[in-house]
């Protein structure tokens, strides 16, 4: 039996501080260059050299302002604030690469399906079929307030809207234009044959879209669908729609529970559970030897920002952590939300006393997932073991000091993973979906809900 491939995505946001807080100050970090085309081109080229399936670009639509009820701490450390548009960096990266895919985050809560269908098709054309969409429903109050709502639409209703949103875009992508609608017959003077382009006539609870898709179909038609919801409605949504799922846990056993839950949801929807590829956030700190890697980690940790970490976690948890003493064990804090936080960390390491400071140090470099630290051989061993225990398909690799962390991983660890047959030497297929479904299959599987709208 062949060894399963370890699928790799790079994880970034169009911002300064994403998963590592305060490390923009490290001399090897060029995180502040996020606003330049050359930074994204360099990042994409590094990942393509390393055989990564895609670069996942996260997004947030509002400033982080839960901590102290103000945006100040997020601004001081550039934590997801300021942030740029994730879609606009894709074409430049596509022009500078030929294989790397791009999984880009867009919210169904603040977009219109008709317009987004066109945006994604345009990107699928411009990338030659390498686009994926990380579907999010958005959770920041600050986004709601700045985007025309008094308060957020309730969580489960956001997923109901998202579900209808998906129906609309599937109809536009799969059902509006027939495969041979573009005839480009210069003699007859017909570019597209009107008889082969159909209005979708969608009238639902949240959206009304009577017309035809504005774009002619692209090679994948529907972009590869990613999702990261973990609530019951979020994982049901993923089981129905997602082809790639992102998970964020610190322990492989916790990832395994999630992975089983997602695959069971897919099965319940009549899909093959392995049509869902599952990726866990991870961070790698490597060096020529284990000792060099440990020194590198200590060096990175010396730049972490306590306040920045607390600002990020306050936003993630919707709890203001600013009132806590940094050195008092969290178990002594008596709010329900903080007990939830303590549960997560004590399950992970019951022997450790978790205070805001130890927690901030812990998440400061590798926020969101495991930290693999060591020589290339050790890192490869640990990644293989984690992947097997967690029953996942690969990793979303964060970079605490972009783009240096990704470059070190590709230079040092990827050759070792390639030797072990875990990372491919050559991409198999031309489109992102073919990396998921195999060469010759750029379109959604017959069991995927989008396929129901095919003509
Ligand atoms: C690995 C990972 C990446 C995520 N990326 C984003 C993102 O870029 N933008 C966003 O608004 N939410 C993002 N989320 C949040 C999820 O979309 C989702 O809101 C969250 O996991 C809570 O799940 P629930 O909505 O089902 O409760 C991410 C979550 C995870 C686990």
């Amino acid at each position: 039996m062949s060894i399963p491939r370890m699928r790799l995505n790079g994880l970034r946001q169009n911002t300064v501080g994403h998963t590592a807080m305060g490390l923009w100050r490290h001399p090897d970090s060029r995180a502040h260059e996020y606003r330049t085309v050359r930074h994204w081109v360099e990042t994409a080229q590094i990942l393509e050299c390393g055989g990564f399936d895609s670069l996942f670009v996260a997004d947030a639509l509002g400033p982080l302002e839960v901590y102290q009820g103000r945006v100040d701490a997020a601004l001081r450390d550039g934590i997801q604030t300021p942030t740029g548009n994730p879609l606009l960096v894709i074409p430049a990266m596509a022009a500078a690469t030929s294989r790397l895919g791009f999984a880009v985050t867009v919210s169904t809560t603040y977009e219109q399906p008709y317009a987004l269908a066109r945006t994604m098709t345009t990107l699928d054309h411009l990338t030659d079929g390498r686009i994926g969409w990380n579907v999010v429903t958005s959770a920041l109050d600050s986004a709601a307030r700045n985007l025309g709502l008094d308060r957020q639409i309730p969580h489960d209703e956001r997923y109901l809207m998202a579900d209808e949103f998906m129906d609309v875009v599937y109809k536009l992508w799969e059902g509006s234009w027939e495969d041979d609608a573009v005839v480009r017959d210069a003699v007859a003077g017909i570019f597209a044959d009107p008889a082969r382009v159909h209005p979708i006539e969608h009238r639902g609870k949240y959206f009304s879209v009577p017309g035809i898709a504005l774009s002619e179909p692209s090679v994948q038609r529907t972009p590869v669908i990613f999702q990261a919801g973990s609530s019951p409605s979020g994982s049901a949504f993923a089981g129905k729609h997602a082809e790639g799922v992102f998970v964020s846990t610190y322990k492989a056993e916790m990832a395994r529970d999630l992975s089983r839950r997602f695959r069971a949801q897919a099965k319940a929807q009549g899909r093959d559970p392995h049509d869902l590829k599952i990726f866990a956030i991870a961070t790698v700190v490597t060096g020529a030897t284990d000792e060099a890697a440990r020194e590198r980690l200590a060096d990175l940790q010396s730049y972490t920002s306590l306040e920045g970490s607390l600002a990020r976690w306050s936003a993630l948890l919707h709890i203001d952590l600013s009132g806590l003493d940094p050195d008092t064990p969290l178990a002594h804090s008596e709010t329900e939300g903080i007990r939830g936080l303590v549960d997560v960390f004590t399950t992970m390491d019951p022997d450790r006393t978790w205070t805001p400071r130890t927690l901030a140090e812990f998440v400061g470099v590798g926020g969101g997932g495991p930290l693999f630290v060591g020589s290339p051989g050790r890192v490869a061993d640990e990644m293989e073991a984690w992947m097997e225990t967690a029953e996942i398909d690969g990793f979303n690799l964060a970079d605490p000091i972009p783009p240096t962390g990704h470059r070190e991983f590709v230079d040092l660890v990827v050759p070792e993973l390639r030797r072990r047959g875990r990372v491919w030497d050559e991409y198999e297929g031309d489109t992102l979906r073919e990396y998921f479904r195999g060469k010759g299959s750029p379109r959604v599987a017959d069991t995927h809900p989008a396929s129901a709208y095919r003509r």
Side-chain angles (χ1 to χ4, degrees):
M1 212 178 86
S2 67
I3 310 174
R5 184 160 78 84
M6 183 184 289
R7 294 161 184 273
L8 300 170
N9 298 312
L11 167 60
R12 290 291 304 279
Q13 186 178 330
N14 190 353
T15 189
V16 183
H18 180 211
T19 58
M21 270 56 73
L23 271 81
W24 61 272
R25 296 170 297 148
H26 192 284
D28 291 340
S29 170
R30 287 189 276 123
H32 61 281
E33 289 180 4
Y34 76 92
R35 41 195 175 72
T36 68
V37 160
R38 67 176 180 279
H39 180 82
W40 291 100
V41 163
E42 185 180 346
T43 301
Q45 288 173 334
I46 291 169
L47 300 182
E48 187 168 85
C49 272
F52 280 51
D53 283 28
S54 77
L55 169 63
F56 164 36
V57 191
D59 192 28
L61 289 171
L64 302 196
E65 53 192 25
V66 176
Y67 184 79
Q68 298 175 325
R70 294 198 296 270
V71 72
D72 302 31
L75 280 173
R76 274 196 287 272
D77 265 312
I79 312 252
Q80 299 190 308
T81 319
T83 179
N85 184 309
L87 294 159
L88 297 180
V89 296
I90 307 288
M93 291 192 283
T97 55
S98 60
R99 287 288 176 264
L100 183 71
F102 305 97
V104 64
T105 301
V106 182
S107 170
T108 51
T109 303
Y110 300 108
E111 295 285 336
Q112 281 291 320
Y114 194 61
L116 184 70
R118 184 178 72 157
T119 303
M120 284 296 173
T121 301
T122 306
L123 282 172
D124 204 41
H125 284 304
L126 296 178
T127 60
D128 294 315
R130 292 184 279 146
I131 201 74
W133 171 25
N134 176 36
V135 183
V136 298
T137 56
S138 298
L140 291 173
D141 277 329
S142 65
R145 281 196 300 274
N146 288 293
L147 288 162
L149 303 176
D150 291 336
R151 67 181 69 82
Q152 290 209 68
I153 297 165
H155 178 271
D156 286 2
E157 188 169 11
R158 294 202 300 272
Y159 275 109
L160 290 175
M161 287 174 69
D163 203 47
E164 190 186 326
F165 194 115
M166 300 311 285
D167 270 347
V168 180
V169 290
Y170 293 156
K171 288 177 186 175
L172 290 164
W173 286 325
E174 301 285 339
S176 183
W177 292 57
E178 294 180 28
D179 281 339
D180 52 3
V182 175
V183 288
R184 228 174 66 208
D185 183 339
V187 176
I190 299 173
F191 181 77
D193 176 0
R196 293 181 235 177
V197 183
H198 310 278
I200 66 163
E201 307 285 4
H202 178 90
R203 281 188 185 74
K205 180 165 180 213
Y206 300 105
F207 304 105
S208 170
V209 181
I212 64 160
L214 271 175
S215 307
E216 63 180 275
S218 60
V219 57
Q220 297 187 115
R221 283 190 176 246
T222 296
V224 177
I225 304 293
F226 292 85
Q227 219 270 330
S230 51
S231 61
S233 44
S235 50
F237 183 93
K240 179 172 172 191
H241 298 283
E243 300 171 89
V245 170
F246 299 133
V247 299
S248 171
T249 74
Y250 293 93
K251 275 234 184 265
E253 291 75 10
M254 290 177 175
R256 184 181 58 207
D257 292 346
L258 281 174
S259 147
R260 287 183 179 172
R261 172 141 51 99
F262 283 122
R263 294 199 207 277
Q265 292 277 9
K267 195 161 178 222
Q269 300 280 343
R271 301 175 63 202
D272 179 340
H274 291 280
D275 277 356
L276 216 59
K277 304 296 181 217
I278 301 181
F279 302 90
I281 290 191
T283 303
V284 168
V285 178
T286 190
T289 60
D290 287 345
E291 198 190 344
R294 278 195 300 273
E295 278 169 17
R296 179 74 160 161
L297 176 64
D299 170 44
L300 297 181
Q301 277 170 333
S302 70
Y303 287 87
T304 58
S305 160
L306 172 65
E307 194 185 44
S309 293
L310 294 177
R312 172 121 202 278
W313 280 80
S314 295
L316 284 174
L317 298 164
H318 307 276
I319 307 162
D320 181 1
L321 300 172
S322 66
L324 305 180
D325 178 81
D327 297 306
T328 300
L330 278 165
H332 298 174
S333 312
E334 277 310 312
T335 78
E336 196 182 317
I338 292 172
R339 267 201 300 275
L341 177 68
V342 174
D343 285 348
V344 170
F345 285 91
T346 46
T347 316
M348 198 172 59
D349 190 347
D351 303 328
R352 191 154 165 178
T353 305
W354 290 101
T355 64
R357 192 183 304 281
T358 55
L359 190 146
E361 278 164 8
F362 182 82
V363 300
V365 173
L371 250 181
F372 298 120
V373 183
S375 62
R378 176 183 291 275
V379 167
D381 286 348
E382 289 185 5
M383 289 177 84
E384 285 182 322
W386 216 94
M387 185 170 122
E388 191 171 318
T389 306
E391 299 174 6
I392 57 170
D393 300 280
F395 295 96
N396 267 342
L397 281 187
D399 183 351
I401 44 169
T404 311
H406 278 146
R407 185 181 290 289
E408 289 173 351
F409 178 81
V410 168
D411 286 348
L412 296 172
V413 182
V414 167
E416 179 62 29
L417 290 170
R418 282 194 163 130
R419 249 193 304 283
R420 299 179 186 199
R422 292 291 191 176
V423 171
W424 51 18
D425 293 318
E426 298 288 338
Y427 286 80
E428 289 167 22
D430 298 315
T431 61
L432 180 56
R433 185 166 283 103
E434 287 171 280
Y435 308 158
F436 279 56
R437 298 202 55 226
K439 201 167 164 53
S441 301
R443 306 275 304 272
V444 284
D446 292 344
T447 49
H448 188 277
S451 73
Y453 299 112
R454 260 185 214 150
R455 284 195 176 266

